[in-house]
Amino acid sequence: DAGVTQSPTHLIKTRGQHVTLRCSPISGHKSVSWYQQVLGQGPQFIFQYYEKEERGRGNFPDRFSARQFPNYSSELNVNALLLGDSALYLCASSLDVTGYSPLHFGNGTRLTVT
Amino acid sequence: AQTVTQSQPEMSVQEAETVTLSCTYDTSENNYYLFWYKQPPSRQMILVIRQEAYKQQNATENRFSVNFQKAAKSFSLKISDSQLGDTAMYFCAFMKQWGAGNMLTFGGGTRLMVKP
């Protein structure tokens, strides 16, 4: 079975631009979460979606938004990019949103803002 | 809010030896889950082991085991018979289930180098 897939793998953007990152969950998984991992640090929670509804939001500005589609894939959008948005963006999927359902991560999208 | 602390930024171990990675956390919750994830240079976060807080028995997965001390809020990872492929960043993570969602709070990570 395919794991969590993220696209693109790498991305270079300029300050002020907008970016869209995409994630396809493992087949059968209905929850998708997004994490930001700045170089040298642990990942930080951005969003969680389940059955197309937002179920949690981390401490990120409104420039960050996301949505989940009927096929459970997801997009993370970031507007008005700042240099500090440069990071590895990880997507994770799980069967549901209980603690019995572990998160499975993709390989991430490396975003560089210049 | 929950916090997770990994006090060892870097560790090294000889191949075939045993190493223990430390993790402490702070929470007011009674029911939660704890995890260790491995992140090799490929960047993918791989689940190594999980522990339910209500279980007193320490979790074990092949060469990986944990020492869970709930009262001390400590959750260490022991890797036995270390292999070169164990070289990676290791993250301790806390999961509290709330409402209709869950989230992971990660520590800052420990970089483990296994030497031949």
Side-chain angles (χ1 to χ4, degrees):
Chain A
D1 284 342
V4 177
T5 57
Q6 292 186 243
S7 63
T9 305
H10 296 87
L11 202 52
I12 299 175
K13 289 286 189 178
T14 304
R15 277 177 296 177
Q17 286 187 320
H18 162 269
V19 68
T20 298
L21 311 182
R22 295 178 173 82
C23 172
S24 293
I26 291 172
S27 177
H29 285 194
K30 297 182 178 180
S31 175
V32 170
S33 300
W34 288 94
Y35 288 79
Q36 181 196 64
Q37 186 178 17
V38 173
L39 192 63
Q41 298 180 17
Q44 286 202 314
F45 172 73
I46 310 175
F47 286 109
Q48 182 174 43
Y49 278 78
Y50 178 65
E51 294 278 16
K52 295 172 289 180
E53 291 186 0
E54 182 182 305
R55 294 305 182 95
R57 182 185 182 114
N59 188 25
F60 280 81
D62 292 343
R63 299 185 295 107
F64 288 77
S65 64
R67 55 180 175 169
Q68 186 177 33
F69 298 99
N71 66 353
Y72 302 112
S73 66
S74 177
E75 282 183 354
L76 175 69
N77 295 284
V78 186
N79 291 324
L81 285 167
L82 303 174
L83 294 179
D85 295 331
S86 294
L88 179 67
Y89 288 84
L90 295 167
C91 174
S93 74
S94 58
L95 283 168
D96 52 42
V97 291
T98 70
Y100 297 104
S101 179
L103 273 65
H104 298 264
F105 286 83
N107 286 349
T109 294
R110 171 75 65 191
L111 172 65
T112 301
V113 182
T114 62
Chain B
Q2 285 67 233
T3 60
V4 179
T5 303
Q6 295 178 247
S7 58
Q8 307 151 314
E10 293 187 1
M11 294 193 72
S12 64
V13 64
Q14 291 295 132
E15 195 175 7
E17 294 188 345
T18 296
V19 64
T20 298
L21 308 183
S22 301
C23 172
T24 58
Y25 59 94
D26 187 24
T27 183
S28 58
E29 301 293 322
N30 190 49
N31 295 316
Y32 50 87
Y33 305 86
L34 294 165
F35 303 84
W36 279 97
Y37 278 88
K38 166 185 177 182
Q39 189 178 40
S42 67
R43 307 184 323 201
Q44 185 181 17
M45 202 73 76
I46 301 166
L47 177 63
V48 175
I49 199 166
R50 59 175 273 152
Q51 174 81 41
E52 291 89 344
Y54 64 85
K55 290 186 177 179
Q56 292 186 330
Q57 186 174 7
N58 289 323
T60 299
E61 286 288 339
N62 301 314
R63 298 183 294 107
F64 300 88
S65 62
V66 299
N67 182 5
F68 174 48
Q69 301 290 328
K70 190 174 184 180
K73 297 179 181 176
S74 170
F75 183 61
S76 61
L77 174 70
K78 185 172 81 171
I79 305 174
S80 304
D81 186 25
S82 297
Q83 301 176 359
L84 296 178
D86 295 333
T87 293
M89 283 291 293
Y90 285 81
F91 292 95
C92 177
F94 173 101
M95 175 185 283
K96 163 198 162 185
Q97 186 171 354
W98 91 96
N102 55 18
M103 59 172 275
L104 286 169
T105 299
F106 285 89
T110 295
R111 183 178 302 279
L112 177 66
M113 173 75 72
V114 180
K115 299 179 179 180

